[in-house]
Amino acid sequence: MAQTSKKLVLGITGGIAAYKSAELVRLLVKSNIDVQVVMTESATKFITPITMQALSGKPVFVGMWDGGVGNGMPHIELSRDADAILIAPASAEFIAKLVHGRADDLLSTLCLARDCPLLVAPAMNKQMWENPATQRNIAQLKKDGVSILGPDTGDQACGEVGLGRMLEAEDLLVLVNAHFTPKLLAGKRVLITAGGTLEMIDPVRAITNLSSGKMGYAIAQAASDMGAEVTLVSGATSLAAPKSVNNIRATSSDAMYQAVMSNIAKQDIFIGVAAVADYSPTEQSTQKIKKSTASHSLELTLNKDILAEVANLPNAPFCVGFAAESENLLEYAEAKRQAKKLPLIVANLVAEAMGSDENSVTLLDKNGSHPLPRAPKIEIARQLLQYVANML
Ligand code: PMT
């Protein structure tokens, strides 16, 4: 069920943001995307083809008459089996060329001869971006069905501040992955809890756990890539939430309960990935508890079970639970699925799942078990959501 490798032509035009394209190639390749770099002559003044070749693992093409392409017609051959072309950075001049369908170098010819989607990440000085000519050109490209990614706002190489800088490599990677992801959850609303919780004992001490939030955030990103409208309720985590989701911070189990319940209406799917504390201190001291020579005991009160309550709502969304266990994984997870009346639970081992970038899980439903072998959490997230989309 792993996503098959997509083929992307990355076109680099002349601009200082070309340095970001080196990191972009590295991230795309790491994300299992097959990248063919094509550069304009001006781009080679900013970053060398050798750098891009080393990062992409493939020869880089610049000139119309470069050798090494099968039929000697690189403008046709290079885009023939591409799933998309991304121009990053796209200079104001190159954007103008695209609008007019000009073909006076390899990259512009490739774009004109393409039979696949074109994505453009503009990068230029803010005055050039704001110029009516550029704005007209961007509007025309959008009309022509070209996807415009960015630009971003912030410090510019020329010393000015404003709109025009290229999106960061990480942001472009997210947008490229989203472009390649089938929209299996289009029109669906998904609510996800992620991370651990923090149950305060006094102003400086708390009960918490080792959940990093990575699994829940990966599911939020994957659901958004699949076209869902995502609400993320984030517990204790230091991660930055995906930009495309509505993120609500709720660090204690009680705050998480309130956040979920006030957003649950109209949700189609609820996925409880958070490691919610089962107990909280019965009383929270407003002042720091002083050390004494005597031993100290802490009274704990059972917290509300958010997932079980959501699953019991009259118009409950499709509920997916998670179970992290240190032993008897499938037995304990299935017991939780039945106790909470869930159509699906995801079983994972604490040692493999907590804090790590990868995970291996087993999906349990009324028909039995379905293992997903070890993979990056974003890949596990995609496979889980494909399974959920099928069940729906
Ligand atoms: O964040 P990472 O570092 O990436 O780690 C991911 C993870 C290991 C935390 C995640 O994959 C996971 O397994 N989360 C569930 C942890 C767990 O074992 O929860 P539980 O057995 O306490 O609860 C079972 C289910 O009920 C979970 O879906 C949980 O979110 C939910 N629950 C539990 C208690 C409670 N008060 N409210 C709940 O909603």
Side-chain angles (χ1 to χ4, degrees):
M1 252 192 333
Q3 195 156 296
T4 49
S5 174
K6 294 287 184 186
K7 290 189 163 63
L8 180 79
V9 170
L10 174 64
I12 304 176
T13 72
I16 186 63
Y19 81 90
K20 291 188 189 173
S21 306
E23 175 66 358
L24 177 59
V25 172
R26 196 186 68 77
L27 294 175
L28 289 165
V29 170
K30 200 172 156 210
S31 184
N32 196 30
I33 292 174
D34 181 334
V35 185
Q36 173 61 63
V37 177
V38 177
M39 301 172 75
T40 62
E41 278 293 339
S42 332
T44 65
K45 308 285 183 229
F46 292 90
I47 190 157
T48 70
I50 294 293
T51 303
M52 306 313 284
Q53 177 171 330
L55 291 167
S56 66
K58 285 185 178 181
V60 169
F61 294 93
V62 179
M64 243 341 221
W65 316 112
D66 287 349
V69 179
N71 63 3
M73 287 193 278
H75 62 293
I76 306 288
E77 182 99 358
L78 288 176
S79 67
R80 180 161 289 158
D81 58 351
D83 294 294
I85 299 177
L86 166 66
I87 311 294
S91 64
E93 159 66 12
F94 196 80
I95 286 169
K97 250 191 216 186
L98 288 175
V99 169
H100 294 284
R102 285 179 52 199
D104 61 357
D105 62 7
L106 177 61
L107 188 56
S108 54
T109 311
L110 201 72
C111 290
L112 196 60
R114 78 182 189 281
D115 184 20
C116 64
L118 177 61
L119 293 81
V120 166
M124 65 197 74
N125 159 272
K126 79 182 183 86
Q127 308 292 356
M128 291 169 82
W129 173 253
E130 285 163 6
N131 190 296
T134 305
Q135 289 305 309
R136 270 198 311 276
N137 289 342
I138 290 291
Q140 184 58 50
L141 286 186
K142 285 183 183 167
K143 264 193 214 152
D144 293 346
V146 175
S147 302
I148 307 296
L149 313 183
D152 207 352
T153 187
D155 292 340
Q156 300 205 307
C158 53
E160 293 181 5
V161 180
L163 204 57
R165 51 183 278 157
M166 187 169 89
L167 290 177
E168 297 304 323
E170 293 80 8
D171 297 330
L172 287 173
L173 174 74
V174 167
L175 294 169
V176 168
N177 270 324
H179 172 82
F180 284 142
T181 306
K183 303 292 175 255
L184 296 178
L185 296 177
K188 301 281 181 217
R189 292 198 181 92
V190 184
L191 179 61
I192 298 161
T193 63
T197 55
L198 210 59
E199 311 302 329
M200 299 307 289
I201 298 168
D202 69 13
V204 293
R205 304 178 179 98
I207 298 173
T208 188
N209 60 63
L210 297 180
S211 168
S212 63
K214 288 177 186 172
M215 191 68 243
Y217 274 40
I219 294 172
Q221 182 66 64
S224 167
D225 291 350
M226 289 182 179
E229 190 184 310
V230 179
T231 303
L232 178 61
V233 175
S234 296
T237 170
S238 55
L239 300 178
K243 289 186 176 162
S244 52
V245 311
N246 169 27
N247 184 37
I248 301 169
R249 290 239 157 237
T251 43
S252 69
S253 61
D254 187 49
M256 196 173 265
Y257 174 82
Q258 304 296 342
V260 168
M261 287 306 171
S262 52
N263 285 280
I264 200 67
K266 300 203 183 125
Q267 296 291 339
D268 300 294
I269 302 168
F270 174 65
I271 310 180
V273 196
V276 187
D278 290 322
Y279 302 93
S280 307
T282 307
E283 280 177 22
Q284 230 185 70
S285 172
T286 52
Q287 303 301 329
K288 184 178 171 189
I289 299 169
K290 301 307 289 176
K291 179 182 171 184
S292 73
T293 49
S295 59
H296 188 92
S297 62
L298 192 64
E299 190 182 310
L300 300 174
T301 301
L302 188 63
N303 290 326
K304 289 192 184 112
D305 192 308
I306 306 168
L307 179 59
E309 292 215 13
V310 171
N312 265 315
L313 289 172
N315 284 318
F318 183 89
C319 286
V320 181
F322 265 73
E325 307 294 345
S326 55
E327 57 175 350
N328 304 329
L329 177 62
L330 299 187
E331 182 194 331
Y332 287 169
E334 177 60 16
K336 278 182 190 171
R337 186 182 80 81
Q338 291 186 19
K340 301 191 192 209
K341 301 194 184 83
L342 308 172
L344 181 65
I345 198 160
V346 183
N348 51 194
L349 283 164
V350 171
E352 290 196 10
M354 279 220 170
S356 56
D357 292 332
E358 296 188 341
N359 202 359
S360 66
V361 304
T362 303
L363 312 184
L364 298 172
D365 59 23
K366 68 176 175 19
N367 298 321
S369 64
H370 181 79
L372 301 181
R374 192 164 182 80
K377 282 181 174 169
I378 187 70
E379 188 53 38
I380 296 286
R382 287 185 190 126
Q383 294 180 36
L384 164 64
L385 291 173
Q386 276 173 26
Y387 197 87
V388 169
N390 282 341
M391 282 182 88
L392 283 173

Short mmCIF file of all heavy atoms in Angstrom, two decimals, residues 158-187:
data_model
loop_
_atom_site.label_atom_id
_atom_site.label_comp_id
_atom_site.label_asym_id
_atom_site.label_seq_id
_atom_site.Cartn_x
_atom_site.Cartn_y
_atom_site.Cartn_z
N CYS A 158 17.89 41.39 -0.95
CA CYS A 158 18.24 42.77 -1.28
C CYS A 158 18.19 43.68 -0.06
O CYS A 158 18.49 44.87 -0.16
CB CYS A 158 17.26 43.28 -2.33
SG CYS A 158 15.55 43.07 -1.81
N GLY A 159 17.79 43.14 1.09
CA GLY A 159 17.74 43.95 2.31
C GLY A 159 16.35 44.46 2.62
O GLY A 159 16.11 44.99 3.69
N GLU A 160 15.42 44.32 1.66
CA GLU A 160 14.06 44.77 1.92
C GLU A 160 13.28 43.68 2.64
O GLU A 160 13.72 42.54 2.72
CB GLU A 160 13.38 45.15 0.60
CG GLU A 160 14.02 46.37 -0.04
CD GLU A 160 13.35 46.78 -1.35
OE1 GLU A 160 12.33 46.18 -1.72
OE2 GLU A 160 13.87 47.70 -1.98
N VAL A 161 12.10 44.04 3.14
CA VAL A 161 11.25 43.06 3.82
C VAL A 161 9.89 43.10 3.15
O VAL A 161 9.37 44.18 2.88
CB VAL A 161 11.09 43.43 5.33
CG1 VAL A 161 10.20 42.41 6.04
CG2 VAL A 161 12.45 43.51 6.02
N GLY A 162 9.33 41.93 2.85
CA GLY A 162 7.99 41.92 2.23
C GLY A 162 7.72 40.61 1.52
O GLY A 162 8.44 39.62 1.68
N LEU A 163 6.67 40.65 0.70
CA LEU A 163 6.22 39.46 -0.01
C LEU A 163 7.08 39.23 -1.26
O LEU A 163 7.35 40.18 -1.99
CB LEU A 163 4.76 39.69 -0.43
CG LEU A 163 3.87 38.49 -0.68
CD1 LEU A 163 3.80 37.57 0.53
CD2 LEU A 163 2.46 38.95 -1.05
N GLY A 164 7.49 38.02 -1.50
CA GLY A 164 8.27 37.75 -2.71
C GLY A 164 9.28 36.64 -2.52
O GLY A 164 9.71 36.03 -3.49
N ARG A 165 9.66 36.36 -1.25
CA ARG A 165 10.69 35.32 -1.08
C ARG A 165 10.11 33.93 -1.32
O ARG A 165 8.90 33.70 -1.08
CB ARG A 165 11.37 35.40 0.29
CG ARG A 165 10.42 35.44 1.46
CD ARG A 165 11.16 35.60 2.78
NE ARG A 165 11.64 34.31 3.24
CZ ARG A 165 12.65 34.16 4.08
NH1 ARG A 165 13.31 35.20 4.51
NH2 ARG A 165 13.01 32.95 4.48
N MET A 166 10.94 33.03 -1.76
CA MET A 166 10.45 31.67 -2.04
C MET A 166 10.09 30.96 -0.73
O MET A 166 10.73 31.18 0.31
CB MET A 166 11.53 30.85 -2.78
CG MET A 166 11.00 29.51 -3.25
SD MET A 166 12.13 28.66 -4.38
CE MET A 166 13.15 27.74 -3.23
N LEU A 167 9.08 30.11 -0.78
CA LEU A 167 8.73 29.29 0.39
C LEU A 167 9.94 28.47 0.80
O LEU A 167 10.78 28.13 -0.04
CB LEU A 167 7.58 28.34 0.04
CG LEU A 167 6.20 28.96 -0.18
CD1 LEU A 167 5.21 27.87 -0.59
CD2 LEU A 167 5.71 29.67 1.07
N GLU A 168 10.02 28.12 2.08
CA GLU A 168 11.12 27.27 2.55
C GLU A 168 10.98 25.88 1.94
O GLU A 168 9.88 25.44 1.58
CB GLU A 168 11.10 27.17 4.09
CG GLU A 168 11.32 28.48 4.81
CD GLU A 168 12.64 29.17 4.41
OE1 GLU A 168 13.64 28.47 4.19
OE2 GLU A 168 12.65 30.40 4.28
N ALA A 169 12.11 25.18 1.87
CA ALA A 169 12.12 23.84 1.27
C ALA A 169 11.11 22.90 1.95
O ALA A 169 10.40 22.14 1.27
CB ALA A 169 13.53 23.26 1.35
N GLU A 170 11.02 22.97 3.28
CA GLU A 170 10.09 22.08 4.00
C GLU A 170 8.64 22.35 3.57
O GLU A 170 7.84 21.44 3.43
CB GLU A 170 10.18 22.28 5.53
CG GLU A 170 11.48 21.87 6.18
CD GLU A 170 12.57 22.92 6.02
OE1 GLU A 170 12.27 24.04 5.53
OE2 GLU A 170 13.73 22.61 6.35
N ASP A 171 8.32 23.65 3.38
CA ASP A 171 6.94 24.00 2.99
C ASP A 171 6.65 23.50 1.57
O ASP A 171 5.55 23.02 1.28
CB ASP A 171 6.74 25.51 3.05
CG ASP A 171 6.91 26.05 4.47
OD1 ASP A 171 6.62 25.29 5.41
OD2 ASP A 171 7.34 27.20 4.63
N LEU A 172 7.65 23.63 0.70
CA LEU A 172 7.44 23.17 -0.68
C LEU A 172 7.27 21.65 -0.71
O LEU A 172 6.44 21.12 -1.46
CB LEU A 172 8.61 23.60 -1.57
CG LEU A 172 8.63 25.10 -1.90
CD1 LEU A 172 9.92 25.47 -2.64
CD2 LEU A 172 7.42 25.48 -2.76
N LEU A 173 8.04 20.95 0.13
CA LEU A 173 7.92 19.48 0.19
C LEU A 173 6.49 19.09 0.57
O LEU A 173 5.87 18.21 -0.05
CB LEU A 173 8.91 18.90 1.21
CG LEU A 173 8.75 17.40 1.43
CD1 LEU A 173 9.31 16.63 0.24
CD2 LEU A 173 9.44 16.94 2.71
N VAL A 174 5.94 19.77 1.58
CA VAL A 174 4.57 19.47 2.03
C VAL A 174 3.60 19.69 0.87
O VAL A 174 2.72 18.85 0.61
CB VAL A 174 4.20 20.38 3.24
CG1 VAL A 174 2.71 20.33 3.51
CG2 VAL A 174 4.98 19.96 4.47
N LEU A 175 3.77 20.80 0.13
CA LEU A 175 2.84 21.11 -0.96
C LEU A 175 2.99 20.12 -2.13
O LEU A 175 1.99 19.73 -2.74
CB LEU A 175 3.05 22.55 -1.44
CG LEU A 175 2.69 23.61 -0.38
CD1 LEU A 175 3.16 24.99 -0.80
CD2 LEU A 175 1.18 23.62 -0.14
N VAL A 176 4.21 19.70 -2.40
CA VAL A 176 4.42 18.71 -3.48
C VAL A 176 3.78 17.37 -3.08
O VAL A 176 3.06 16.75 -3.87
CB VAL A 176 5.93 18.54 -3.78
CG1 VAL A 176 6.17 17.33 -4.68
CG2 VAL A 176 6.49 19.80 -4.43
N ASN A 177 4.01 16.96 -1.84
CA ASN A 177 3.41 15.70 -1.38
C ASN A 177 1.89 15.77 -1.43
O ASN A 177 1.22 14.83 -1.84
CB ASN A 177 3.86 15.36 0.04
CG ASN A 177 5.13 14.53 0.04
OD1 ASN A 177 5.33 13.69 -0.84
ND2 ASN A 177 6.01 14.77 0.99
N ALA A 178 1.35 16.93 -1.02
CA ALA A 178 -0.11 17.10 -1.06
C ALA A 178 -0.61 17.01 -2.49
O ALA A 178 -1.64 16.39 -2.77
CB ALA A 178 -0.51 18.43 -0.44
N HIS A 179 0.15 17.61 -3.42
CA HIS A 179 -0.23 17.57 -4.84
C HIS A 179 -0.32 16.12 -5.33
O HIS A 179 -1.21 15.77 -6.10
CB HIS A 179 0.78 18.36 -5.66
CG HIS A 179 0.58 18.23 -7.14
ND1 HIS A 179 -0.35 18.99 -7.82
CD2 HIS A 179 1.12 17.38 -8.05
CE1 HIS A 179 -0.33 18.63 -9.09
NE2 HIS A 179 0.54 17.66 -9.25
N PHE A 180 0.62 15.28 -4.88
CA PHE A 180 0.68 13.90 -5.36
C PHE A 180 -0.29 12.95 -4.63
O PHE A 180 -0.40 11.79 -5.00
CB PHE A 180 2.09 13.34 -5.21
CG PHE A 180 3.06 13.87 -6.26
CD1 PHE A 180 4.38 14.17 -5.92
CD2 PHE A 180 2.66 14.06 -7.57
CE1 PHE A 180 5.27 14.64 -6.88
CE2 PHE A 180 3.54 14.53 -8.54
CZ PHE A 180 4.84 14.82 -8.19
N THR A 181 -0.94 13.44 -3.56
CA THR A 181 -1.77 12.54 -2.76
C THR A 181 -3.21 12.51 -3.27
O THR A 181 -3.84 13.57 -3.38
CB THR A 181 -1.78 12.99 -1.28
OG1 THR A 181 -0.43 13.10 -0.85
CG2 THR A 181 -2.51 12.01 -0.39
N PRO A 182 -3.77 11.32 -3.57
CA PRO A 182 -5.17 11.25 -3.99
C PRO A 182 -6.08 11.81 -2.90
O PRO A 182 -5.85 11.56 -1.71
CB PRO A 182 -5.41 9.75 -4.19
CG PRO A 182 -4.07 9.14 -4.28
CD PRO A 182 -3.11 10.01 -3.52
N LYS A 183 -7.10 12.56 -3.31
CA LYS A 183 -7.95 13.28 -2.34
C LYS A 183 -9.07 12.36 -1.82
O LYS A 183 -10.26 12.62 -2.02
CB LYS A 183 -8.54 14.55 -2.98
CG LYS A 183 -7.46 15.49 -3.52
CD LYS A 183 -6.63 16.11 -2.39
CE LYS A 183 -5.48 16.96 -2.88
NZ LYS A 183 -4.16 16.36 -2.75
N LEU A 184 -8.63 11.28 -1.13
CA LEU A 184 -9.60 10.28 -0.66
C LEU A 184 -10.51 10.81 0.44
O LEU A 184 -11.56 10.23 0.70
CB LEU A 184 -8.85 9.05 -0.11
CG LEU A 184 -8.00 8.25 -1.10
CD1 LEU A 184 -7.29 7.11 -0.40
CD2 LEU A 184 -8.89 7.71 -2.22
N LEU A 185 -10.09 11.88 1.11
CA LEU A 185 -10.91 12.40 2.22
C LEU A 185 -11.50 13.78 1.89
O LEU A 185 -11.84 14.54 2.80
CB LEU A 185 -10.08 12.47 3.50
CG LEU A 185 -9.59 11.12 4.05
CD1 LEU A 185 -8.71 11.32 5.29
CD2 LEU A 185 -10.77 10.21 4.41
N ALA A 186 -11.62 14.08 0.60
CA ALA A 186 -12.18 15.39 0.21
C ALA A 186 -13.58 15.52 0.79
O ALA A 186 -14.38 14.57 0.75
CB ALA A 186 -12.22 15.49 -1.30
N GLY A 187 -13.87 16.68 1.37
CA GLY A 187 -15.20 16.94 1.92
C GLY A 187 -15.41 16.37 3.32
O GLY A 187 -16.46 16.55 3.91
#
